[in-house]
Structure formats: C-alpha cells, structure tokens
C-alpha cells in the first residue's frame, strides 16, 4: 500500500488516523494545530470542579437572588458561581454537594427547591439561572471583536430529576459596546443521572470583550427554570443582538417544579478550539488564588482568627492593614456577619469592641486597596496601643470578607 502520493502523505490510505489525526497531520502551522487540539492552560472557567468553597455553609431559605438575610453579595455555594431568580418567588437550598458526584469529580454545585410561590413557570416570567461571569481580562485569549476571534467549546456534567431540553445562554458585552447573545441547547436524557454535555460556540467577531478590563464581559447562564417570557422568541445559533424574550429559546424543561427537586452541575470547562479536551484539573492552591482574586474570606473557627497586622492609632480610630494573598479584581466591598464577633486586641492582650468598621479612605485609592486593605476601626473611647483586628465568633457562622465579585 502506498502511503505517499505526489510526495505527500496520503491520509486516506491510513485509516487508523481518524478524523482528528488526519486534521493534525494536515495542519500547516502550529496555530492550526492548536485550534484542532489545544494544549497548555485551556479552561477559562474559575473553579469549574467546585473544589473551592470559601463560604462552606449550606444556605437554606434562599428567596432573593441568593441572599439569606446577611449582606453577602448574593453569592452562595462554591466560589465564582451563583444563582439568579426573581425575588420572593422561590425558596431554595444552595449547597456544595459531595454525595454521588459525577465521574472524576468530588464536588458539585446543587440547588434544591423548597417551595415555589409563583405560577407555573411555563406560563409566567419566572426563571432560575445558574451563572458564571468572566471579566474582560479573562477574555483576551479568545480575541473577541477581531477577525481572528476563536471558536470555543463548553463542556460540563449536569444532573436533574426532569429530563428534557435545556438552554445555555452566552451574553457578551464589550468596549465600545456591542452587546451580543448566543443560545445553545442540550438534552438531559434520564432522571437523576449525571450526563456530560458538550456545546460548540461560534466566534464573536463584533464584541471586544477584552476592552472591559476588570468589569464583566461574559455571562454564561444555564437555564434551570424558564417561563414563556424567556423562551418565546427565536433561538440564536450565532451571535446576535440582545432581546430578553430570546434569552433561553429552546430550553423548554423546568428542573425545579416540586419540593425536593434538585439541579446540579460540575466539571465546567470553556476552552478555545473546536475539539473538546479532557477536563483541566488544577491544584486546590491554584484554584483558591483564582477565587481569592474576587473574594477573600476568613471564617470563624472558634477562639480567635487574627485578620490584620497591628495598625497605628489616633484617638478613637485604629488603622490595621490586611495584606491580601493575591490582588483583588477591583476595589472591594467590606462585608462581615456580625460586628459583635469582631474585636480590637491591643498588644498586651486586652480587647475592646469596635463600634464600626470601614475602608480607610484617607490616602487609599482604589488602585491601592486591591493589593492590601487598610481598615478604619472606630470605638467609643480611645485606643491606647496599636491593635490587631480579630474575629472571635461561632465556628462556621461568623466571617469577615472583602468582595470584588462581578
């Protein structure tokens, strides 16, 4: 058998190459080969394996975009992922699940329906979406908004008690503005069984996502429940102008209809190219730093957790500085569970209760506090020494955090 024809490898004569083998052999340059089968760092999703869970609690009675009565920036469950849904229409439980995980994974994001106060979502404007957001800085490699924009593939494992057709929507915003969406569907074939899905996404030649910098440029939204007002338009197989009625077109099933229904997801990977590759497992340390760019949280473990180095003082004010493990995405919001769980401890071990905490805005610009954060601690009466700020609360319930979540 002749393997060469006119001085070139005759791929048709080597059947064991397969489709992708033939394409790789026929690649004319490294870029073509990379587009066929990418290598190196591939996954654009943060914490796609749900390994990082800085909040670590299970949230129950969630009725308003994930808030649970504590100012927690409506982000519950594993880091970098959250739910969106209309206020006071559903009551949900949100957790990081570990029982019966998907093949190759130990954790997953799961939401469970406790109760619904709304009409049938098939005939209403109700919705529940699972959302992951990316910044413009995260999107540089895809070259969106340029003639060289790349095709991508989204892969994930999903589980629901209700088989049927579901939708995933990609919403892109750029600078200058060129808002576009593309909608894809996938089918869950069996009840309460993990299934892997792969979705191909065409290049986006119009939206310069990278120009958004540290602001949100991409919303990936999985439709869990969708009413008619979200699915009554036309499906977008390619990037098209935004219209809310087209958002989840094609996603006809609702995963959360009866109390006890669950929807779960894990193993999310979004990568350049037109060939899905195995999930890119990252170490816990690497994923943690990726997540701490958006959320730095210290949870109470009982006793005392020191939050900051000693800071100078002036009268009733003290200024401890918290040095961050990685620069934050943007100037953060200071959040904490309970002021009474925070104490100001002087160098000789004496403690006093602060009356308020806030960012020290005196000479501290936004560009400064993404690298370290100086806290203004006030009290009634005067500080007599430099102080540490400590967290002394109930294990697992009290926390202190800096959030620059999208």
């Amino acid at each position: 058998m002749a393997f060469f024809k006119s001085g070139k490898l005759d791929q048709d004569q080597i059947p064991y190459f397969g489709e992708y083998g033939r394409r790789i052999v026929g690649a004319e340059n490294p870029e073509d080969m990379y587009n066929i089968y990418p290598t190196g760092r591939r996954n654009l999703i943060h914490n796609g394996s749900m390994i990082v869970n800085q909040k670590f609690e299970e949230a129950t009675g969630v009725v308003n975009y994930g808030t649970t009565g504590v100012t927690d920036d409506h982000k519950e469950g594993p880091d970098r992922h959250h739910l969106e849904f209309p206020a006071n229409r559903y009551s949900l439980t949100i957790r990081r699940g570990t029982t019966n995980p998907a093949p190759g994974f130990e954790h997953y994001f799961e939401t469970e329906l406790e109760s619904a106060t709304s009409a049938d979502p098939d005939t209403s404007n109700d919705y529940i979406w699972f959302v992951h957001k990316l910044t413009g800085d995260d999107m540089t490699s895809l070259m969106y908004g340029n003639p060289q924009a790349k095709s991508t593939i989204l892969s994930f494992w999903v589980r629901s008690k209700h088989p049927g057709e579901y939708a995933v929507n990609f919403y892109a915003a750029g600078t200058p503005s060129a808002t576009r969406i593309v909608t894809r569907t996938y089918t869950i074939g069996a009840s309460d069984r993990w299934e892997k899905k792969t979705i191909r996404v065409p290049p986006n030649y119009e939206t310069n996502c990278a120009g958004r910098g540290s602001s949100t440029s991409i919303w990936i939204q999985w439709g869990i429940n969708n009413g008619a007002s979200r699915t009554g338009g036309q499906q977008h197989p390619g990037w098209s102008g935004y219209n809310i009625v087209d958002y989840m077109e094609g996603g006809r099933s609702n995963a959360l209809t009866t109390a006890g229904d669950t929807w779960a997801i894990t193993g999310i990977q979004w990568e350049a190219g037109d060939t899905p590759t195995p999930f890119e497992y990252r170490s816990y340390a690497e994923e943690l730093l990726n997540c701490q760019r958006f959320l730095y949280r210290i949870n109470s473990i009982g006793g005392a957790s020191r939050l900051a180095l000693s800071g100078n003082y002036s009268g009733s004010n003290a200024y401890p500085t918290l040095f961050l493990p990685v620069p934050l995405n943007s100037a953060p919001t200071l959040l904490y569970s309970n002021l009474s769980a925070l104490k100001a401890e002087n160098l000789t071990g004496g403690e006093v209760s602060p009356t308020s905490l806030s960012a020290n805005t005196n000479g501290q610009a936004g560009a400064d506090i993404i690298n370290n954060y100086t806290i203004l601690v006030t009290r009634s009466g005067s500080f007599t020494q430099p102080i540490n700020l400590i967290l002394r609360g109930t294990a697992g319930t009290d926390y202190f955090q800096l959030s620059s979540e999208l």
Side-chain angles (χ1 to χ4, degrees), residues 268-290:
I268 307 172
Q269 180 152 298
W270 190 33
E271 58 188 315
D274 58 9
T275 305
T277 64
F279 184 81
E280 180 186 355
Y281 292 94
R282 297 170 183 157
S283 69
Y284 178 83
E286 184 175 355
E287 286 287 24
L288 178 61
L289 287 177
N290 285 338

Side-chain angles (χ1 to χ4, degrees), residues 117-341:
T117 60
S118 62
D120 183 345
D122 281 330
T123 59
S124 72
N125 64 354
D126 282 357
Y127 63 93
I128 304 175
W129 297 339
F130 172 81
V131 182
H132 187 88
K133 297 180 181 180
L134 296 167
T135 69
D137 295 332
D138 296 323
M139 295 298 298
T140 304
S141 64
L142 297 189
M143 303 177 72
Y144 276 11
N146 296 283
Q148 298 79 23
K150 298 177 181 179
S151 299
T152 58
I153 291 182
L154 177 71
S155 303
F156 55 94
W157 287 85
V158 66
R159 185 180 71 192
S160 170
K161 290 185 177 181
H162 295 277
E165 197 82 1
Y166 290 84
V168 180
N169 187 80
F170 294 76
Y171 177 102
T175 301
S177 179
T179 301
R180 296 289 183 270
I181 64 172
V182 62
T183 307
R184 287 288 185 264
T185 59
Y186 65 95
T187 300
I188 294 179
S191 174
D192 207 22
R193 183 185 72 186
W194 285 107
E195 297 178 7
K196 186 177 182 181
K197 306 301 174 184
T198 300
I199 294 174
R200 286 176 167 80
V201 183
N204 183 337
Y205 298 111
E206 298 176 283
T207 309
N208 177 19
C209 290
R212 298 274 290 183
S214 61
S215 299
T216 309
S217 66
I218 289 286
W219 290 252
I220 306 178
Q221 301 155 315
W222 284 257
I224 301 174
N225 281 18
N226 286 289
S229 69
R230 306 285 173 170
T231 61
Q234 61 181 350
Q235 193 171 10
H236 290 276
W239 292 93
S240 305
Y242 164 76
N243 187 335
I244 194 168
V245 76
D246 302 335
Y247 232 57
M248 293 289 175
E249 176 60 28
R252 297 303 186 187
S253 293
N254 292 299
L256 305 181
T257 60
T258 304
D261 282 351
T262 60
W263 183 90
I265 190 170
T266 193
I268 307 172
Q269 180 152 298
W270 190 33
E271 58 188 315
D274 58 9
T275 305
T277 64
F279 184 81
E280 180 186 355
Y281 292 94
R282 297 170 183 157
S283 69
Y284 178 83
E286 184 175 355
E287 286 287 24
L288 178 61
L289 287 177
N290 285 338
C291 294
Q292 286 180 332
R293 178 175 163 231
F294 298 89
L295 175 72
Y296 179 65
R297 176 156 168 149
I298 297 176
N299 292 291
S300 172
I301 55 175
S305 304
R306 267 66 178 177
L307 299 182
L309 299 178
S310 296
N312 64 329
Y313 68 95
S314 173
S316 61
N317 298 332
Y319 305 92
T321 298
L322 187 67
F323 293 94
L324 304 172
V326 64
L328 291 163
N329 179 64
S330 58
T333 300
L334 169 63
L335 300 170
Y336 49 85
S337 57
N338 186 357
L339 185 62
S340 66

